Amino acid sequence: MSERRRESVLRAIVEGYVSTSEPVGSKALAQHHDLGVSPATIRNEMAALEQEGLIAQPHTSAGRIPTDKGYRYFVDMLAATAVQDSHKRAISTFLSDAVDLNDVVERSVRLLSQLTRQVAVAQYPSLRESPVRRVELVRMTSDRALVVVVSADARVEQATIGVPGAVTEEEFERFARELNEAASGLTPEALDKALSGWTQRHTTQPWLRDVASSVVSASRGGTIERVVFSGTGNLTRQGSDLKADAVTSILDALEEQVVLLRLLHEMASEGGVSVRIGRETGQAALAGTAIVAAGYGTVTSSALLGALGPMRMDYPGTMAAVRAVARYLSKVVET
Amino acid sequence: MSERRRESVLRAIVEGYVSTSEPVGSKALAQHHDLGVSPATIRNEMAALEQEGLIAQPHTSAGRIPTDKGYRYFVDMLAATAVQDSHKRAISTFLSDAVDLNDVVERSVRLLSQLTRQVAVAQYPSLRESPVRRVELVRMTSDRALVVVVSADARVEQATIGVPGAVTEEEFERFARELNEAASGLTPEALDKALSGWTQRHTTQPWLRDVASSVVSASRGGTIERVVFSGTGNLTRQGSDLKADAVTSILDALEEQVVLLRLLHEMASEGGVSVRIGRETGQAALAGTAIVAAGYGTVTSSALLGALGPMRMDYPGTMAAVRAVARYLSKVVET
DNA sequence: ATTGGCACTCGCGGCAATCGAGTGCCAACG
DNA sequence: CGTTGGCACTCGATTGCCGCGAGTGCCAAT
């Protein structure tokens, strides 16, 4: 009972089940995957694998299918698979003519969902440390103004704040100029100090505090972390194991975002391409599904990109696609 | 055979089928909906309704279900239904503390999906005629700049353009100032003229044309029209008639956006709450589904909001909810 | 350790019988 | 003439049964 062979059997079972979506038995396995052993031997190995909890049989008289643990073992013994050439080409043509960050992320997620035939999710870069490039204060009505913050990496954040009607146009313009001078080029930490100094000098104008705080929050993290997704149709597309109520809870979880964000954060800390299978997600709503994710971006602005689908998933292919898109995305975001 | 009664029968069939999702027969109908007639009479009416193509029977020995046309007739004879008090309260509490337009639209769509238990869709206001409030030109790197346009209704649009490296900081700043002066307060038409004049005066700087065109396109329509949606989980939630492949094509259509946008545009022209049932949508992907939509916003910035679900839908309730949210949304957007 | 053989399990597809909801039609009634 | 009760008929859904075959586990032989 060489360890070697047992792994081959597991691999064959996973591959067989993934491609046919039907439990695979000892006979078919011995025939097709030309490992020079008889069905009986394979049955022995299978029994052992089942003992270890790596495979299971749906009913007594059926073949075996991998369990969560089985998929996990399979993934762990996987060497990195090369990306298909067609995929490579798709990535560069699809992403080359994106116009801004929004567009890049949106295209990426759409592309990834097509390559993997799964639901693709992407978290927007959170831009923790992005310095402020410019701040604009625009008065919209007599009692409301818009704060527009342009960060060094071409992101534009906005917020609405209240302004006392008593503030004249000239005063307002002056404050706007001062603000711009005080804030330009500063990182969030420096910004915080500089602006608190600024508001201190104008204690008669309490609304400036709102302005300052919105600028600071825009520079650090910007808008609330957001997740976009694409390819939800793949969840119900023919060949998906997922039952209707499973799909429902996945869709709900996607829209909830909170659940997903927490999970992605956890995965982010692992580096490289990280995979969560079934229960490993820790989310009841995601039972029966697996997520493949990879970080993208630089140290200063990092986020995640991934694919979500039924546990019965082409892991090598999906991992390769996720890795490739993440890598390409990193390049684009960095420049 | 009073016209009156036949309509009652149709109404009863629709209501029955909507609530139970099972074909309704003459017997059950006579009993539950206390119209003082015998099953036999109802059968006669049913035969007539079937003749007119308003109802149909799935199999010979089953009750009747409404056809597209039947639902349409039902909807047309519907008087406006009052909104539930709980819904009213939900709307004001849910939308009251939204911070900006994005937030308002996002909350609305989420809310509507909860109230109707359908997929809610919303188109962002397209702001056709919104004058420009301010234009900022920010140089990001030596050869790229960001154009930020703030429109009079507090929308911020952005675009990236290329700048020749030869342009100095001083020149750049001067152009930025000129642009701002030339563009402020102008409507798209005036803007177009003013900016073409401006670029004419600087024929040595062809990149200014890019700037001008992005400002103009930002002021009219702004970014590409976008549709957001929420509640996709409702498509597969228990009680939905939709079969898996129907759900797939709906999800695909939602992500496609183009299809949906065209449909919404058509519906926009009808005013009030407009309903499209089954084939009426004109989209093969939306067979078996119905859309209830209403416009929101003012004359200058209008867009649509709606609910999409299986044809077997609570039309009165959905229409009331859509109407209510659209009305509330109009109020918020207007101010 | 591997293998062939063998009895056993059990899901699935096909088939027949039954059931019952619902219909259409017709004759009778006010 | 519209309404109603009665009745024969249709046909999908359910149930029960049977045989098939894939797949297993175990055991004895190599």
Side-chain angles (χ1 to χ4, degrees), chain A residues 18 38 43 55 70 73 82 89 137 151 164 169 178 195 235 280 300 307-308 321:
Chain A
V18 164
S38 79
R43 279 204 284 281
I55 58 177
Y73 196 103
R89 258 175 284 128
L137 212 51
S151 63
E169 279 302 321
E178 283 184 16
L195 290 189
L235 288 175
E280 294 176 1
T300 61
L308 181 157

Side-chain angles (χ1 to χ4, degrees), chain B residues 33-61:
Chain B
H33 288 79
D34 51 333
L35 184 39
V37 282
S38 79
T41 316
I42 298 197
R43 279 203 284 281
N44 289 335
E45 302 287 14
M46 279 175 158
L49 286 169
E50 185 159 14
Q51 196 83 14
E52 298 178 39
L54 297 175
I55 59 178
Q57 43 188 343
H59 355 277
T60 320
S61 73

Side-chain angles (χ1 to χ4, degrees), chain A residues 142-166:
Chain A
S142 63
D143 61 351
R144 287 198 326 168
L146 199 63
V147 184
V148 180
V149 179
V150 181
S151 63
D153 48 4
R155 279 238 299 190
V156 178
E157 302 290 341
Q158 55 181 308
T160 317
I161 52 145
V163 180

